[in-house]
Amino acid sequence: MSIEVDVRHEFPGFSLEVKFSAPQGVTALFGRSGSGKTTIVNAVSGLLRPDTGRVVVNGSALLDTDSRICLPTHQRRIGYVFQEGRLFPHLTVEQNLRFGRWFTPRGIRPRDGHEMTRIVTLLGIDHLLDRRPASLSGGEKQRVAIGRALLSTPNLLLMDEPLAALDEARKEEILPYLERLRDETKIPILYVSHSIAEVARLATTVVVLENGKMVRIGPAAAVLADPGTVPLVGVRDAGAVLSARVMKRDVGDGLAELAVSGGRLHLPGITAPEGALMRLRIRAHEIILATEKPGNMSALNVLPATVTEVREGEGPGAAVGLICGEDRLLARITRRSVHVLGLEPGKPVFAILKSTAVARQDIGTFEERPLL
């Protein structure tokens, strides 16, 4: 399961030119407003016919201007989830869900209720089936909208800023379901967002856009820990993504012990069982660097690392890329500290992180389970 996009299109005062391919999972299109994210989605869905381009999903061409292929939107078998749920207010949740089945070709439409039951269970909406949209929270509406899209048996799921209209509490409600969707289905997902927190939690592959051009692409862990990405995501939001295994959930003081490739971390707020694989976002400005292993301090997390890159900004800051075990880390420190510590590629250091520095919204799950 994969997606290939090669699109060029001219607007007055704006030129879009992108080419990328991504494997199964969540491919996040990230960039500031006006960078071209929605234009790409419209070209993939068929709402826009680009000047030239090619869009291939799972080996099937939806668009190929050279071969004069341009499937109409209703034949592309794409599930589209917008910022708002756009549910039919006069229908119950169950009726809204069943509406999605009508867009499934008859030859592959499930005849029993197994698929309906599976998706309802996956999204945790079984208790909502008899209710109408007006009585649902924003997060519940979005889960129903996702279920409706999935029941159309799509080859690709497009999610255009699906959490943008929700407050933080509702985002935290729906994010675990999006993680399950990523980990438990084979459907490739093209996810548009300007929130680096969402991208860090969900993305398998990240495509960074700026002024209609692709400036970065790769696995989420590699792109987000790249010092060159810092100006694109902002110095306060820049950070790395690590995989961690829960070793001890609570040792009596509210902290859990997690294993990463470079050592151990002690963090609060971990509710996953022992053995679970977690996904952590470590913000660059929360990392302190030392050239000698520190002692007698309050910070509990000290990881040995090696500097891979130092990139100084125009202001007082610098981004330092690190390798820690098999993981990439990113530190945001001052240029003065870079020179005082003599930081350069290959220099061994210690990365120090307070236990309270990892926010709850920066802790996600990454399931190791067979795809359904």
Side-chain angles (χ1 to χ4, degrees):
M1 300 290 185
S2 62
I3 178 172
E4 301 173 31
V5 176
D6 183 357
V7 173
R8 292 170 179 78
H9 193 73
E10 295 289 336
F11 293 97
F14 180 79
S15 176
L16 178 74
E17 184 176 346
V18 294
K19 181 178 181 180
F20 64 88
S21 60
Q24 181 176 314
V26 176
T27 300
L29 302 180
F30 175 80
R32 298 183 178 92
S33 296
S35 60
K37 303 185 300 295
T38 299
T39 303
I40 294 172
V41 168
N42 288 341
V44 171
S45 65
L47 297 177
L48 167 73
R49 180 166 183 169
D51 297 332
T52 62
R54 189 167 185 265
V55 176
V56 178
V57 177
N58 301 333
S60 298
L62 308 183
L63 169 74
D64 189 334
T65 54
D66 288 344
S67 300
R68 297 185 179 180
I69 296 173
C70 185
L71 295 182
T73 300
H74 68 278
Q75 292 182 7
R76 296 195 179 197
R77 292 189 56 198
I78 291 175
Y80 208 140
V81 180
F82 300 88
Q83 288 187 21
E84 301 83 20
R86 301 193 183 186
L87 303 177
F88 297 110
H90 62 293
L91 301 180
T92 65
V93 166
E94 182 174 4
Q95 290 169 333
N96 269 281
L97 291 170
R98 293 192 180 280
F99 183 84
R101 296 181 72 250
W102 292 106
F103 292 91
T104 303
R106 290 186 177 274
I108 62 172
R109 185 183 301 171
R111 294 186 178 182
D112 55 31
H114 173 72
E115 186 68 4
M116 177 79 159
T117 301
R118 185 181 76 88
I119 290 173
V120 165
T121 302
L122 174 72
L123 296 171
I125 53 177
D126 51 306
H127 63 294
L128 304 176
L129 296 179
D130 294 331
R131 292 168 59 180
R132 295 186 186 274
S135 67
L136 304 180
S137 70
E140 289 170 340
K141 290 177 182 178
Q142 284 302 80
R143 279 188 275 158
V144 175
I146 293 168
R148 183 175 62 182
L150 290 174
L151 282 167
S152 67
T153 320
N155 289 327
L156 173 69
L157 192 62
L158 295 180
M159 306 188 80
D160 191 358
E161 301 274 11
L163 306 186
L166 304 180
D167 58 29
E168 290 302 319
R170 300 289 79 77
K171 288 181 182 180
E172 280 301 302
E173 169 194 322
I174 197 172
L175 273 168
Y177 294 101
L178 295 181
E179 290 171 330
R180 292 190 65 186
L181 184 63
R182 174 198 65 202
D183 299 333
E184 298 184 22
T185 70
K186 295 180 180 180
I187 303 171
I189 301 171
L190 197 59
Y191 191 97
V192 174
S193 180
H194 66 272
S195 167
I196 198 64
E198 292 174 28
V199 172
R201 278 279 294 265
L202 299 172
T204 307
T205 302
V206 178
V207 178
V208 182
L209 301 166
E210 186 175 35
N211 298 324
K213 304 295 187 293
M214 184 183 72
V215 292
R216 291 285 190 285
I217 182 173
V223 172
L224 298 182
D226 181 355
T229 306
V230 172
L232 302 172
V233 303
V235 295
R236 299 297 298 178
D237 287 328
V241 174
L242 279 70
S243 294
R245 179 82 61 182
V246 180
M247 305 306 293
K248 296 179 182 179
R249 183 166 145 182
D250 188 338
V251 295
D253 57 3
L255 297 178
E257 182 178 318
L258 294 86
V260 295
S261 66
R264 298 294 174 100
L265 294 175
H266 299 84
L267 301 175
I270 302 296
T271 58
E274 292 181 2
L277 189 62
M278 310 300 294
R279 186 171 183 169
L280 309 176
R281 177 187 175 209
I282 309 294
R283 303 188 191 218
H285 69 266
E286 298 287 3
I287 295 285
I288 296 174
L289 297 181
T291 54
E292 297 180 0
K293 188 172 184 178
N296 299 320
M297 64 175 183
S298 62
L300 298 178
N301 302 307
V302 180
L303 298 174
T306 302
V307 175
T308 58
E309 182 181 354
V310 177
R311 183 167 297 206
E312 299 185 2
E314 295 181 359
V320 181
L322 306 164
I323 188 73
C324 178
E326 298 177 358
D327 294 313
R328 295 171 181 263
L329 281 176
L330 184 66
R332 174 74 180 176
I333 62 176
T334 63
R335 296 168 61 185
R336 180 181 298 184
S337 294
V338 168
H339 299 302
V340 169
L341 296 177
L343 300 183
E344 60 183 12
K347 188 174 184 68
V349 295
F350 292 90
I352 305 163
L353 177 72
K354 292 168 56 178
S355 293
T356 55
V358 182
R360 177 64 193 92
Q361 61 266 29
D362 292 332
I363 301 174
T365 62
F366 191 83
E367 298 286 345
E368 286 186 315
R369 64 175 66 192
L371 293 172
L372 301 180

